Amino acid sequence: MSRRPVNPSRRLADGGSLPFAASIQSKSQNSPLLSIGLVIVGAILLIGYCYSSSGGASNDIKDLSKLEGGASCSLEVLQALPILKKAYGDSMHKVLHVGPDSCSVVSSLFEEEDTEAWGVEPYELDDVGAKCKSLVRKGIVRVADLKFPLPYRAKSFSLVIVSDALDYLSPRYLNKTLPELVRVSADGVVIFSGYPGQQRARGGEVAKFGRPAKLRSSSWWIRFFVQTNLEENETAGKKFEQASAKKAYKPACQVFHLKSYP
């Protein structure tokens, strides 16, 4: 006669080789809510991972607040868009943003009615989402060194907004870059620059930008504008201040308004 196979798990439970086996089996049968809860948590984590790697909105702005003290002027541009729209009106219909995280700014500008937007990212793009890669692939956002002339004709854009880019340039390159930004604008240039005393670049960012940020005072910038024959746009500046007061908005960065060339 052939012997019937013995179930190993039954032998363990019946023979007492595994302590408390019977009690564990009983608890697992009486805790269906625990299994359901683990499945729900796993599903939530999986959905969150898929969303972040697909280039969701949060992925586009995940690096905006990396700078110490939250003093990212590109983030400040996003917050100031309603104020800029009040100050510049129709001049917001064709905008160029120049600076880090340009994909995030351009994406936000696209949400504005009757607004066309382009961007120039002055540093290499690392670990960006699918949406940003799409903007670069379409040529809407370019990666370009600001030390060289911009690949645009004069007055190609009604308004040029620059943030977090000029702070990393020495005066030698500012003498070339800032007039170049004015050249491609038709109705003005808006500069978002850090306040002196803000810590803007850590070790890894110094390697990326090539040098630590040099945060200048407003008096330094005004002198520089005069020396390079750039004229401040007082009318736009006043409108910006009035709109800021109505919205109780106080910029975390310095904001300068320049006129375009005649």
Side-chain angles (χ1 to χ4, degrees), residues 61 63-81 84 97-102 104-105 123 161-168 190-196 198-201 209 213-216 221 240 249-256:
I61 60 174
D63 293 328
L64 286 179
S65 298
K66 275 186 176 181
L67 301 179
E68 189 172 326
S72 166
C73 289
S74 292
L75 176 60
E76 199 63 35
V77 171
L78 294 177
Q79 296 176 345
L81 286 180
L84 289 168
H97 173 261
V98 179
D101 303 295
S102 198
S104 301
V105 177
Y123 313 110
I161 303 172
V162 55
S163 60
D164 285 329
L166 302 182
D167 292 337
Y168 291 93
V190 185
I191 300 170
F192 285 76
S193 174
Y195 282 103
Q198 290 175 338
Q199 183 66 35
R200 300 296 299 282
F209 301 141
K214 179 68 174 179
L215 303 180
R216 291 107 171 176
W221 280 111
F240 185 86
Y249 166 71
K250 187 176 181 180
C253 297
Q254 299 182 90
V255 184
F256 302 99

Side-chain angles (χ1 to χ4, degrees), residues 6-22:
V6 178
N7 188 333
S9 61
R10 183 176 178 182
R11 177 182 293 174
L12 285 173
D14 293 343
S17 300
L18 180 64
F20 311 118

Side-chain angles (χ1 to χ4, degrees), residues 14 19 22 25 39 52 55 67 87 94 101 122 141-142 145 149 182 187 202 210 227 239 254 259 262:
D14 293 343
Q25 183 178 6
V39 171
S52 63
L67 301 179
K94 195 171 184 180
D101 303 295
V141 173
R142 297 171 178 259
D145 192 337
V182 175
D187 297 333
R202 298 173 183 174
Q227 292 168 1
K239 289 182 178 180
Q254 299 182 90
K259 290 183 178 180

Side-chain angles (χ1 to χ4, degrees), residues 147-234:
K147 297 173 185 176
F148 299 96
L150 294 173
Y152 304 110
R153 295 180 179 178
K155 301 185 183 298
S156 293
F157 307 96
S158 53
L159 188 68
V160 173
I161 303 172
V162 55
S163 60
D164 285 329
L166 302 182
D167 292 337
Y168 291 93
L169 293 177
S170 66
R172 171 189 173 188
Y173 289 111
L174 273 177
N175 286 326
K176 300 177 181 179
T177 300
L178 194 48
E180 184 70 4
L181 295 173
V182 175
R183 180 188 68 82
V184 300
S185 71
D187 297 333
V189 175
V190 185
I191 300 170
F192 285 76
S193 174
Y195 282 103
Q198 290 175 338
Q199 183 66 35
R200 300 296 299 282
R202 298 173 183 174
E205 284 151 357
V206 170
K208 178 180 179 181
F209 301 141
R211 67 192 302 273
K214 179 68 174 179
L215 303 180
R216 291 107 171 176
S217 65
S218 60
S219 59
W220 187 95
W221 280 111
I222 292 171
R223 286 196 303 270
F224 180 80
F225 298 151
V226 173
Q227 292 168 1
T228 49
N229 296 318
L230 298 175
E231 188 177 352
E232 288 193 79
N233 191 335
E234 296 181 1

